[in-house]
């Protein structure tokens, strides 16, 4: 019976083969798991069958030639298992693309095999073959044969009977070989390999157990390293197949370069060799960021990535590996030509790809339709999509909390993702409880990069990046040298941080924030010392050792205890204290709770992502939502260099219109600073003192001040007259038809005897009412005024020359009598 199957080594295809005399019906593939050095004898002891190559393409033909050449040149035997059989592929006498090989086999445990004579000459090269690479690796399992060339396969005293090994002579040979081998001093040995238990996935997530945003930052770093220009982070609901429940799923999607099969295998592997070449803008170095970040966020993660000519799926799952002895990571790779995709048989067989795809569908909420829907998000371009579900829990909810933003662009209704606990991270000397970047993903992403180039969206709304060095006032740039490495520190004052009670240094490594609000010097010992002072420094040169060591924790949330870090702390403390003593306290920037703008206003181009400095006193509200370099007020090109603050300068910001603060009985101080082209500082401080007056409305309600009032003594007669005229003209008039008792107390005597309320009063209560009214009545003396007709009706007769006086009777125009307003 002729059968065909694929021969593989470590799940990598070697060649398709066929056989007519195999002892059993084999599956679609036969995987070689071990290559051993053996000088064998007694070939007749075990049965054999032959394998003929049947390559489907030139690649398989080439790999078959290399495989046979490898066996022939290094005198190796390839071992593969197919329960209950064990197959031994013997080295050929000569290697070629059409050479047939012999395969010895046994059932269960039996004795050893022997090789037949063969030609030792071979001119074929193994360069580039994965078999040759395995042979050259120092940790490859290799065995040296004993002196007689025999190998003992088992310590079982009973050799199972097979067709060719079921006679007495074979048993004697086995016993003889075993006794000789035990007497040898050079016993055979194999090197040990580790295996990763699935519980290790959960252990990886504990690298970010202190702060869950550290896990998200690892995935953001990968997008930046892939040179993505856009990154979307959001939480959506998805339905699980098995339970039928709707659960949240964290999605991280970028438009970077994507990954081919080898790159995605490298990404899901547990660590890799550090790059030989140090790239300044490249963050990833340890090879564990994706695993630690994803497993901190949730139990299961699916990666969908696409390059110009490939598309791959990878599934890292704790649910899939439950109860297993080793970690399985299904990967499916496709060749891509335009919109057409097909399984890449150069890296995996079609059977293996289908098996891996089935595992993904069974243990994830994704089916072929949802995978196709997500792949359509690439829009024919490149990128990577990461989906994480079964998110980490906190109490009865999840560690993450999210809210969608509202349309309209309001800064108060932007979408965000929060840490549910809202806890503040522990820092030396930290007393403030208002540190938004500790629990708000939006606030963290605003400052995560020293020079932000990538557009980031959280819950569908754009994160407005905030390069800290460009958002400070009274900026100073300090330079220094630590262990022969130049460092540059930018110090400045932030009104926002002052209000929140924060201060400290932001330390960046390869342009990525490692430590925030690090207090140094006097900041550690007092909450008020350095309040509002922010420093920004990039320590890449200092923390990357020349010997290749990196003094950064592998979770990228702190630095290791090293000489360079200790000296850095001392230098930062000295510079921060000098800045506080010389440049801040002496100028007393904070006055009457005024708000100070940065030294310079900046805007970022939406095309080249470079930052441009706006002119002095330019109104940033006039900028459009999307701004480009060719627009005003810059009017340049994207190729123009970014402006930078000259080192060693001190700028005192100008308190511009819109930022004025008016307070009662206080001085208003206006400060502005100009730095000329040569870097010299020109300070101009002007004081504008305005005396604020009591509000007019309060005076109208209270009436003119008494002669004994403390302010009345300081008024001149002319100012008193002007005050009374202004009061009469601005007086508020009320017309009340039925005033209450309280209103009558303030405005005049009780109503007439015919009033409806007067019938219920006794004479004694009326008398008491009149006395209280007389005591509490407020009299107004108005001189040289011409009140309106409504005022005259309530307060007295008009002048004899008034036009209305002609219609009144003589009794009603009696001078000096004031009619109360009812």
């Amino acid at each position: 019976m002729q059968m065909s199957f694929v021969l593989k080594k470590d799940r990598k295809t070697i060649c398709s083969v066929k056989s007519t005399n195999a002892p059993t019906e084999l599956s679609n593939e036969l995987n070689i798991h071990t290559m051993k050095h053996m000088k064998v004898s007694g070939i007749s002891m075990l049965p054999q069958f032959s394998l003929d190559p049947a390559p489907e393409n030139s690649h398989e033909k080439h790999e078959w030639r290399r495989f046979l050449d490898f066996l022939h040149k290094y005198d190796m035997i390839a071992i593969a298992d197919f329960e209950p059989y064990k197959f031994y592929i013997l080295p050929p006498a000569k290697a070629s693309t059409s050479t047939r090989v012999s395969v010895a086999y046994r059932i269960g445990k039996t004795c050893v095999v022997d090789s037949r004579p063969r030609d030792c000459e071979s001119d074929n090269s193994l360069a580039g073959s994965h078999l040759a690479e395995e042979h050259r690796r120092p940790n490859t399992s290799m065995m040296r044969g004993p002196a007689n060339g025999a190998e003992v396969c088992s310590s079982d005293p009973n050799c199972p009977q097979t067709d060719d090994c079921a006679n007495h002579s074979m048993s004697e040979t086995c016993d003889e070989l075993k006794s000789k081998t035990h007497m040898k001093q050079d016993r055979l040995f194999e090197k040990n390999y580790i295996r990763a238990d699935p519980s290790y996935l959960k252990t990886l997530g504990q690298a970010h157990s202190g702060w869950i945003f550290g896990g998200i930052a690892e995935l953001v770093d990968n997008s930046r390293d892939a040179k993505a220009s856009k990154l979307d982070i959001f939480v959506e609901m998805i339905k699980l197949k098995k339970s039928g429940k709707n659960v949240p799923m964290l999605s991280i999607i970028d438009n970077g370069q994507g990954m081919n099969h080898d790159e995605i295998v490298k990404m899901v592997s547990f660590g890799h060799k550090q790059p030989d070449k140090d790239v300044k803008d490249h963050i990833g170095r340890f090879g564990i960021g994706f695993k630690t970040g994803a497993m901190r966020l949730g139990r299961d993660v699916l990666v969908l990535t696409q390059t110009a000519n490939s598309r791959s799926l990878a599934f890292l799952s704790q649910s899939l590996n439950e109860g297993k002895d080793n970690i399985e990571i299904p990967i499916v790779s496709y060749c891509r030509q335009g919109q057409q995709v097909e399984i890449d048989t150069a890296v995996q067989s079609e059977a293996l790809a289908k098996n891996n795809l089935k595992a993904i569908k069974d243990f994830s909420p994704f089916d072929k339709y949802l995978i196709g829907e997500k792949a359509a998000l690439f829009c024919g371009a490149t990128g990577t999509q990461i989906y994480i579900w079964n998110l980490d829990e906190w109490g009865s909810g999840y560690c993450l909390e999210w809210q969608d933003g509202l349309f309209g662009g309001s800064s108060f209704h932007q979408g965000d993702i929060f840490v549910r606990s809202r806890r503040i991270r522990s820092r030396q000397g930290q007393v403030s409880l208002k540190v938004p970047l500790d629990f708000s993903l939006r606030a963290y992403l605003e400052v995560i990069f020293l020079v932000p180039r990538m557009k980031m969206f959280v819950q569908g709304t754009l994160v407005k990046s905030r390069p800290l060095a460009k958002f400070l006032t009274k900026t100073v740039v300090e330079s220094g040298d630590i262990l022969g490495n130049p460092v540059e520190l930018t110090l400045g004052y932030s009104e926002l941080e002052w209000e929140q009670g924060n201060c400290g240094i932001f330390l960046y490594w390869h342009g990525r924030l490692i430590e925030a609000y690090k207090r140094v010097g006097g900041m550690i010992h007092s909450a008020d010392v350095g309040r509002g002072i922010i420093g920004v420094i990039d320590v890449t040169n200092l923390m990357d050792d020349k010997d290749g060591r990196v003094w950064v924790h592998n979770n990228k949330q702190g630095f290791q205890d090293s000489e360079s870090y200790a000296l850095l702390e001392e230098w930062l403390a000295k510079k921060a204290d000098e800045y506080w003593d010389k440049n801040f306290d002496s100028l007393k920037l904070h006055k009457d709770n005024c708000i100070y703008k940065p030294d310079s206003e900046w805007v970022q181009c939406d095309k080249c992502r470079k930052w441009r400095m706006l002119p002095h006193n330019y109104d940033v509200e006039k900028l459009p939502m999307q701004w480009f370099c060719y627009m005003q007020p810059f009017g340049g090109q994207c190729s123009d260099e970014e402006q930078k603050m000259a080192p060693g300068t001190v700028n005192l910001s100008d308190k511009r219109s819109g930022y004025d603060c008016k307070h009662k009985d206080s001085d208003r101080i206006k400060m502005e600073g100009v730095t000329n082209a040569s870097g010299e500082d020109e300070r101009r401080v002007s004081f504008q003192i305005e005396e604020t007056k009591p509000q007019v409305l309060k005076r109208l309600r209270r009436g003119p001040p008494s002669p004994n009032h403390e302010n009345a003594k300081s008024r001149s007669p002319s100012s008193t007259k002007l005050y009374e005229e202004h009061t009469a003209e601005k007086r508020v008039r009320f017309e009340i038809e039925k005033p209450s008792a309280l209103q009558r107390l303030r405005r005049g005597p009780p109503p007439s005897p015919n009033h409806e309320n007067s019938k219920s009063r006794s004479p004694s209560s009326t008398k008491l009412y009149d006395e209280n009214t007389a005591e509490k009545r407020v009299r107004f003396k108005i001189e040289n005024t011409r009140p309106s007709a409504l005022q005259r009706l309530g307060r007295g007769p008009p002048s004899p020359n008034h036009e209305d006086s002609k219609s009144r009777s003589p009794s009603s125009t009696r001078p000096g009598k004031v009619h109360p307003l009812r």
Side-chain angles (χ1 to χ4, degrees), residues 512-526:
R512 153 75 140 80
L513 179 62
I514 304 298
E515 281 193 59
Y517 298 113
K518 179 177 178 58
R519 291 174 173 256
V520 294
M523 301 178 186
I524 300 177
H525 310 290
S526 174

Side-chain angles (χ1 to χ4, degrees), residues 451-565:
V451 182
R453 302 295 187 194
M454 183 168 54
K455 284 186 178 181
M456 293 177 284
F457 295 81
V458 175
Q459 291 299 109
T461 54
L462 177 66
V463 175
K464 294 184 178 179
S465 299
R466 188 162 55 96
L468 286 176
K470 301 181 185 298
F471 282 78
L472 300 175
T473 186
K474 193 175 171 292
T475 308
V476 173
V477 180
E478 297 285 354
S479 300
D481 185 274
I482 300 176
L483 295 178
N485 298 299
V487 290
E488 185 176 274
L489 171 66
T490 301
L491 286 167
Y493 173 81
S494 172
E495 177 70 17
L496 175 63
E497 302 297 350
W498 187 94
E499 293 175 354
Q500 296 176 346
N502 295 324
C503 63
I505 311 298
F506 284 67
L507 291 89
Y508 290 82
W509 174 76
H510 285 271
R512 153 75 140 80
L513 179 62
I514 304 298
E515 281 193 59
Y517 298 113
K518 179 177 178 58
R519 291 174 173 256
V520 294
M523 301 178 186
I524 300 177
H525 310 290
S526 174
D528 293 327
V529 174
R531 180 174 176 177
I533 303 302
I534 296 297
V536 181
I537 185 172
D538 191 307
V539 295
T540 302
N541 296 332
L542 187 61
M543 293 301 158
D544 286 353
D545 199 300
K546 296 180 180 179
D547 297 333
R549 297 190 62 181
V550 179
W551 301 108
V552 180
H553 291 313
N554 55 20
N555 63 1
K556 303 184 186 73
Q557 296 301 321
F559 296 95
Q560 299 181 26
D561 186 13
S562 60
E563 180 186 10
S564 56
Y565 187 57

Side-chain angles (χ1 to χ4, degrees), residues 411-428:
S411 59
F412 298 99
H413 302 285
Q414 294 179 333
D416 204 349
I417 298 176
F418 301 98
V419 177
R420 183 176 293 273
S421 64
R422 301 294 202 282
R423 294 181 59 190
I424 304 301
R425 302 179 66 190
S426 176
R427 299 179 180 89
Q428 187 179 15

Side-chain angles (χ1 to χ4, degrees), residues 302 304 313 357 360 366-376:
L302 179 73
L304 175 60
L313 281 167
L357 188 59
I360 294 174
F366 288 82
D367 53 22
K368 63 179 181 180
Y369 301 105
L370 186 55
I371 293 175
E373 177 184 337
K374 297 302 183 181

